[in-house]
Amino acid sequence: RHSYLDAAGLGPTRMREAFRSLGHEAALMGSVKTYANSFRSESLAQWRTTNVPERQYMEKLSLTSLRTTIERLGPLLVLCEGMEALQRTLKLFPGAAPTTVAVASGSRRAYCRTTVEGGMTLAAIIDAASPQTSAADWEAALPELARDLAVLR
């Protein structure tokens, strides 16, 4: 289980509401979620200042864990919380190239996707809980999420 399923807070709540309104709660239940920082430090800034060898070791552990999770669960959808999470997840799929399909304010990417081996979709959606994410930014991503979910049925 991941936090989008039952955690409190703006990000998980927005994600549940989006999937519910699109009629795809089952896709959320069957998805795998990734983070830019699976060790959940206070912030990415704090993570980036972590001792480099230590951080590299933890990132390798994180990718190994993610690979195992994906292999065991075989999800059709991997939700990446933000674009940095997508970049890390792509390390598991050499040659996969994401396509930016929705742009938020200030030229920030709101939604990116790529399809990898076995037809699995990696979808990076702007972090709904980030203070830099406006309601308009979040709304920019939803039509593309809807397109991807319609294909998963």
Side-chain angles (χ1 to χ4, degrees):
R1 291 184 63 85
H2 56 71
S3 65
Y4 287 158
L5 300 177
D6 52 23
L10 182 59
T13 299
R14 275 184 167 174
M15 192 61 74
R16 282 192 302 274
E17 288 173 358
F19 274 75
R20 189 176 302 120
S21 71
L22 297 169
H24 289 280
E25 290 172 286
L28 182 61
M29 293 285 294
S31 68
V32 168
K33 177 185 176 191
T34 68
Y35 307 89
N37 171 10
S38 66
F39 292 94
R40 306 305 289 173
S41 60
E42 272 184 38
S43 66
L44 284 174
Q46 181 190 43
W47 176 247
R48 290 180 185 121
T49 61
T50 301
N51 175 302
V52 172
E54 203 172 291
R55 189 175 68 226
Q56 289 172 335
Y57 175 74
M58 289 188 283
E59 287 174 353
K60 185 177 177 182
L61 274 176
S62 175
L63 281 175
T64 300
S65 175
L66 178 58
R67 173 178 277 121
T68 300
T69 300
I70 289 171
E71 287 171 354
R72 288 189 178 164
L73 297 179
L76 295 175
L77 177 65
V78 175
L79 291 167
C80 303
E81 186 177 82
M83 303 308 144
E84 193 166 336
L86 176 63
Q87 291 308 313
R88 289 180 196 254
T89 305
L90 284 171
K91 292 177 183 179
L92 297 175
F93 305 98
T99 302
T100 300
V101 291
V103 178
S105 60
S107 300
R108 292 176 56 223
R109 293 175 295 170
Y111 193 86
C112 294
R113 79 165 64 90
T114 189
T115 302
V116 296
E117 56 198 48
M120 182 174 50
T121 298
L122 303 182
I125 192 162
I126 196 166
D127 183 355
S130 171
Q132 293 85 22
T133 302
S134 68
D137 293 342
W138 176 249
E139 293 295 323
L142 295 183
E144 297 304 328
L145 175 63
R147 279 189 192 92
D148 284 345
L149 293 174
V151 173
L152 293 180
R153 279 198 167 173

